[in-house]
Amino acid sequence: MLLSVTIDPQGLLKAIHVAQTSGYDVLDRSAVNTMQEIKRLADAQPWLDGGDMEIELPVIYRLHD
């Protein structure tokens, strides 16, 4: 699956949504909820240079015995 995340100039995570589904709603919701819990990337301000940034993050689920 692929998540799209917008990071504002203060490092706050905004506009988190599924860009490409895993095919399982429960996994998609879990990934979005996990990103929402992060809330802010404190160390991101220097490389954001005062602007928003939109990134796409791959999320890989694996089952382990």
Side-chain angles (χ1 to χ4, degrees):
M1 80 171 298
L2 202 57
L3 284 183
S4 176
V5 180
T6 301
I7 307 168
D8 79 1
Q10 288 74 42
L12 295 173
L13 303 183
K14 304 169 111 182
I16 301 165
H17 67 274
V18 176
Q20 180 181 350
T21 184
S22 66
Y24 297 93
D25 190 52
V26 67
L27 296 179
D28 293 351
R29 282 193 320 261
S30 176
V32 170
N33 290 340
T34 299
M35 287 302 294
Q36 289 172 336
E37 287 179 23
I38 294 170
K39 294 184 183 16
R40 184 171 185 264
L41 300 175
D43 295 335
Q45 284 180 309
W47 48 268
L48 289 169
D49 198 29
D52 288 353
M53 176 183 282
E54 186 172 339
I55 58 173
E56 289 188 342
L57 302 171
V59 178
I60 300 168
Y61 288 98
R62 291 193 178 114
L63 296 176
H64 294 277
D65 291 336

